[in-house]
Amino acid sequence: MHSVGIARKDHAAVRSGHRQTTALRAVGGALPSPSVETAGPSSLEGELDAVEAVLTRAQAALKEQLARARSLRRELAEMPRLAPVPKEPGRELVLSARREVWVALAPPPSLACLKDAEAQFAELTSQGVALRALYPRTVLAVDGGAEHLERTAELGVECRVVDIQQVFTAVVDQEFVFMAAGLRPGEEGETVFRAPRDVALLRQSFEQTWRSARRVHPGSRARQRLTAEQLTMLRLMNSGVKDEKIARLLGVSSRTLSRLMAGAMEELEARSRFEAGARAAELGLLS
């Protein structure tokens, strides 16, 4: 009976050893450990030694990982800080021009949009960048739009007006083309085309539109200074109505009509009636 009790105690010790081994393996994680097939006291000691070896290797691996992490943290701390991403990348690209920029503004332009464009044009022209600007015809209906066109032209920007719908486009140095769905850079979905084939096609499209657009000359403030009678006179003349009938429709004398025409020519900086009509058409005053 006494020997049976000893055997039971040994068996209980083996089971306890197995439980300890299982716990140790759990602590060791997924690292491999040698399998133990025997369940005697001697085999239990060997198994514990094997587990201890696994834990020692795991501890060494953990120390190595910690050392690597500390080294990486030091390297990151020593790296130069990256420049912040600009909030309006399109604006940065346009202002990075060195030689020339062709810009097409999207309709309907607001006064804020025109002021923003004027500020950019002033900055670019001050750096010697050549500028072309395509405006939608609706710019002439914006309060202050005519004055903006005159100031822009005085900066040395070539300005033209088109009737077609267009998206905001900037051809920069013939190297890339920036396009935005909004009225100006930074507003909506933006795309930058850099592939030479894409740039060439978009540049060609801009040039075709440019050739068909109407020129805008300095003196566009005349739109604000011309009287209602002068505008009506110019529109009637453009329609082919004779002077006598124009005077009758306006309720003025022929001499007064001549004075109205002289004043309109002065405001439009025109040297003839024909040139005055052409300039008024360019400024969108005859529609």
Side-chain angles (χ1 to χ4, degrees):
M1 292 294 292
H2 182 67
S3 60
V4 172
I6 294 175
R8 287 177 179 175
K9 288 181 180 180
D10 290 342
H11 188 62
V14 170
R15 288 201 304 272
S16 176
H18 277 298
R19 285 195 297 270
Q20 293 177 9
T21 300
T22 302
L24 289 172
R25 283 176 176 167
V27 173
L31 294 173
S33 61
S35 60
V36 179
E37 297 180 357
T38 59
S42 58
S43 62
L44 175 60
E45 184 177 355
E47 184 175 354
L48 291 175
D49 290 341
V51 171
E52 183 179 4
V54 170
L55 290 176
T56 301
R57 290 196 300 271
Q59 185 178 22
L62 181 58
K63 287 182 178 180
E64 183 179 356
Q65 291 178 4
L66 288 172
R68 289 178 181 176
R70 291 191 181 99
S71 176
L72 179 60
R73 185 173 63 182
R74 286 193 298 271
E75 291 177 6
L76 291 174
E78 294 172 0
M79 287 179 62
R81 293 183 179 273
L82 297 176
V85 178
K87 294 181 179 179
E88 298 180 88
R91 183 188 303 275
E92 299 297 326
L93 289 172
V94 172
L95 293 177
S96 70
R98 302 181 304 276
R99 298 185 304 277
E100 66 176 11
V101 176
W102 298 352
V103 178
L105 278 75
S110 63
L111 184 57
C113 173
L114 296 179
K115 288 182 177 179
D116 186 44
E118 189 174 330
Q120 292 185 58
F121 292 164
E123 182 173 348
L124 288 168
T125 54
S126 68
Q127 298 171 5
V129 177
L131 279 163
R132 288 182 180 181
L134 273 174
Y135 288 86
R137 185 171 175 273
T138 50
V139 69
L140 297 170
V142 177
D143 185 25
E147 288 82 355
H148 163 79
L149 289 174
E150 182 172 5
R151 289 192 300 269
T152 300
E154 289 172 351
L155 288 172
V157 180
E158 294 184 68
C159 301
R160 295 193 180 185
V161 176
V162 291
D163 295 325
I164 63 173
Q165 297 290 321
Q166 56 188 6
V167 297
F168 185 95
T169 305
V171 182
V172 181
D173 290 334
Q174 300 185 27
E175 294 177 358
F176 63 83
V177 179
F178 168 79
M179 303 184 76
L183 299 180
R184 51 186 170 176
E187 285 194 348
E188 294 185 36
E190 302 176 342
T191 305
V192 179
F193 299 89
R194 298 182 183 275
R197 176 181 173 81
D198 295 337
V199 172
L201 289 174
L202 292 170
R203 184 176 182 275
Q204 182 180 9
S205 175
F206 187 102
E207 286 182 309
Q208 290 175 347
T209 305
W210 179 261
R211 286 195 294 268
S212 64
R214 299 193 303 273
R215 296 177 182 273
V216 177
H217 301 279
S220 57
R221 290 182 185 176
R223 182 178 184 274
Q224 303 294 328
R225 296 195 294 260
L226 290 172
T227 66
E229 286 182 326
Q230 288 172 326
L231 289 172
T232 302
M233 174 192 66
L234 290 169
R235 290 165 186 159
L236 290 172
M237 288 179 56
N238 186 63
S239 300
V241 181
K242 302 297 183 182
D243 287 1
E244 294 80 3
K245 187 175 181 179
I246 294 175
R248 189 167 60 253
L249 291 172
L250 292 177
V252 299
S253 65
S254 297
R255 181 175 297 180
T256 300
L257 183 66
S258 296
R259 286 201 298 269
L260 290 174
M261 174 53 66
M265 289 170 58
E266 182 179 355
E267 294 294 345
L268 293 167
E269 299 182 357
R271 291 169 294 182
S272 65
R273 293 174 53 159
F274 177 79
E275 187 178 351
R279 185 70 58 81
E282 291 172 2
L283 295 174
L285 305 179
L286 304 181
S287 57

